[in-house]
């Protein structure tokens, strides 16, 4: 079979744009279309033009054709019998129908050249066959879309307050040509009060689209709390750090403190040690039966910046030294 220079057939360069290729085709179609042309070889010339446009107007075909490179590198090229490169038949093509060019039969039913058939014929026939099978099968049944799963990260205070949150979801979507593109969806999510870590928030209709007239699936968001050294949760119970000065822990008494449940006056038992937990019933995550709030005591030791502060520490140290001397141990 002979090698076909499709660019030469249309009279365009290899870097011609899609618009330039389309204009060249229309110009030659007006000249050689058998219904209007008076040229003796109009039908043959039109078939050649139609074949060239079929290839160069399809980005996938054109790319495959251009990958052949210089035809002289193949044995017997340029009119002496073109042979496709090794492995060509194993390539997979996904072609579209070209504007203005008919399907496999050309504009008037003539066959394409053996060159075209060798390169693209089998793949294109398979696509036409698949298209006919889909048409004969009729429209797809209505099928509900799949549910999708993702994660939403919240802070523990968000569970106390509830309300609207904005969420960005990244995903992948296929375009009409089957190419994958990253997408970003922005959603408004209502956070219910008292939501716990591990719970699912369901967004109806925000999952995968359905087939036919099938409804879309749902989006299920798993709640996770961001790590925070100030607090954490265990089910509905909340554990929050309560920093105390040494004298507050030693002497005890009421201490005003802002908790996740709001400002509270906490009664600290005298002689409290670091790590002790003070339970405040019903001040955990909101619910019909709220969880509890546990305040975990921490000691904060202030620095001695002034002479008076240093004297106070020295007096405290002397008192404890005297106590050890008299009792043999410190309380």
């Amino acid at each position: 079979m002979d090698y076909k220079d499709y660019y030469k057939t249309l009279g365009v360069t290899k870097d011609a744009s899609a618009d330039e290729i389309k204009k060249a085709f229309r110009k030659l179609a007006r000249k050689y279309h058998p219904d209007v042309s008076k040229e003796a070889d109009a039908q043959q010339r039109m078939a050649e033009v139609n074949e060239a446009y079929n290839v160069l107007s399809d980005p996938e075909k054109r790319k495959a054709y251009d990958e052949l490179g210089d035809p002289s590198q193949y044995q017997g090229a340029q009119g002496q019998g073109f042979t496709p490169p090794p492995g060509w038949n194993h390539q997979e093509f996904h072609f579209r129908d070209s504007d203005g060019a008919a399907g496999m039969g050309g504009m008037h039913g003539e066959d394409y050249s053996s060159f075209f058939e060798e390169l693209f014929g089998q793949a294109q026939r398979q696509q036409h066959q698949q298209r006919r099978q889909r048409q004969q099968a009729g429209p797809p049944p209505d099928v509900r879309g799949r549910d999708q799963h993702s994660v939403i990260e919240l802070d523990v205070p968000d569970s106390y307050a509830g309300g609207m949150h904005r969420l960005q979801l990244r995903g992948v979507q296929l375009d009409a040509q089957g190419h994958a593109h990253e997408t970003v969806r922005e959603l408004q999510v209502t956070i219910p009060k008292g939501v716990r870590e591990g719970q699912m928030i369901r967004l109806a209709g925000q999952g995968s689209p359905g087939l036919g007239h099938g409804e879309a699936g749902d989006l299920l968001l798993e709640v996770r709390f961001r790590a925070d050294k100030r607090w954490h949760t265990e089910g509905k119970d909340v554990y929050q750090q309560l920093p105390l000065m040494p004298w507050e822990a030693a002497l005890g008494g009421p201490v005003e403190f802002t908790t996740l449940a709001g400002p509270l006056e906490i009664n600290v038992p005298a002689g409290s040690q670091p790590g002790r937990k003070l339970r405040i019933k019903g001040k955990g995550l909101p619910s019909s039966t709220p969880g509890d709030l546990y305040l975990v005591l921490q000691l904060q030791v202030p620095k001695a910046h002034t002479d008076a502060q240093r004297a106070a520490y020295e007096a405290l140290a002397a008192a404890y030294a005297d106590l050890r001397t008299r009792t043999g141990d410190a309380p």
Side-chain angles (χ1 to χ4, degrees):
M1 62 179 172
D2 294 337
Y3 175 84
K4 298 290 185 180
D5 189 336
Y6 291 134
Y7 291 102
K8 183 177 180 180
T9 299
L10 293 184
V12 296
T13 61
K14 287 192 174 183
D15 58 354
S17 66
D19 285 340
E20 290 172 335
I21 289 173
K22 183 179 289 188
K23 288 178 182 178
F25 168 76
R26 289 177 176 174
K27 179 180 178 181
L28 293 172
R30 287 193 296 268
K31 180 177 181 181
Y32 294 116
H33 198 290
D35 292 343
V36 296
S37 178
K38 298 184 189 220
E39 301 284 342
D41 57 350
Q43 184 167 339
Q44 179 183 348
R45 297 294 299 274
M46 189 65 243
E48 294 173 353
V49 169
N50 187 51
E51 178 178 317
Y53 183 65
N54 185 297
V55 173
L56 299 185
S57 64
D58 184 322
E60 295 294 334
K61 280 201 196 83
R62 183 178 180 181
K63 178 182 177 182
Y65 175 73
D66 288 342
E67 287 178 354
L68 291 174
D70 183 1
S72 63
Q73 65 182 301
Y74 308 118
Q75 182 180 1
Q78 296 292 4
Q80 301 177 13
F82 172 80
T83 302
W88 178 268
N89 291 334
H90 300 291
Q91 299 190 43
E92 296 183 358
F93 302 106
H94 301 278
F95 304 138
R96 63 175 178 82
D97 288 334
S98 302
D99 296 336
M104 283 300 300
M107 296 188 67
H108 287 275
E110 70 274 13
D111 292 333
Y112 284 127
S113 68
S114 56
F115 175 80
F116 180 95
E117 287 287 339
E118 184 69 25
L119 297 183
F120 308 111
Q122 182 178 357
Q124 189 157 315
R125 277 193 297 273
Q126 289 176 347
Q127 287 185 212
H128 279 271
Q129 182 179 2
Q130 292 170 355
R131 187 180 298 111
R132 284 195 300 269
Q133 290 174 346
R134 289 194 298 268
Q135 292 171 347
Q136 293 171 359
D142 296 341
V143 178
R144 182 183 183 274
R146 292 182 303 168
D147 291 341
Q148 292 182 328
H149 295 75
S150 189
V151 172
I152 181 170
E153 287 192 332
L154 302 174
D155 296 310
V156 175
D158 294 331
S159 179
Y160 278 90
M164 299 295 296
H165 278 249
R166 184 172 296 174
L167 175 68
Q168 284 190 339
L169 288 179
R170 298 185 179 275
V172 176
Q173 187 174 13
L174 298 180
D175 59 21
Q177 286 73 42
H179 301 299
H181 298 277
E182 184 181 39
T183 61
V184 178
R185 281 197 296 164
E186 191 169 278
L187 300 174
Q188 292 286 345
V189 183
T190 300
I191 305 301
K193 283 188 176 183
V195 68
R196 300 192 298 275
E197 188 162 44
Q199 280 191 313
M200 292 290 186
I201 299 176
R202 182 182 294 270
L203 301 182
Q206 295 297 332
S208 298
L211 295 178
H213 296 286
E215 63 181 9
D218 298 338
L219 175 62
L220 302 176
L221 299 176
E222 180 184 351
V223 174
R224 291 183 188 170
F225 289 136
R226 297 185 183 94
D228 195 311
K229 63 182 181 180
R230 295 171 295 178
W231 44 63
H232 71 276
T233 65
E234 293 182 9
K236 294 189 294 185
D237 296 334
V238 177
Y239 292 77
Q240 182 175 352
Q241 303 297 323
L242 175 59
L244 294 175
M245 293 299 179
W247 54 87
E248 291 176 325
L251 302 177
V255 175
E256 291 185 356
F257 183 67
T258 301
T259 70
L260 288 172
L264 295 175
E265 186 176 86
I266 312 301
N267 189 36
V268 178
S272 292
Q273 298 298 312
R276 182 172 183 173
K277 299 179 181 65
L278 304 181
R279 178 190 177 199
I280 304 177
K281 189 175 180 179
K283 294 298 183 180
L285 296 182
S287 175
S288 56
T289 304
D292 297 333
L293 174 63
Y294 290 87
L295 299 177
V296 184
L297 303 186
Q298 286 185 321
L299 286 187
Q300 289 184 327
V301 180
K303 294 181 179 180
H305 295 289
T306 66
D307 291 340
Q309 291 169 343
R310 282 190 290 272
Y313 275 124
E314 290 169 356
L316 181 62
Y320 270 90
D322 179 64
L323 184 61
R324 287 195 192 95
T325 300
R326 288 186 289 106
T327 64
D329 195 6

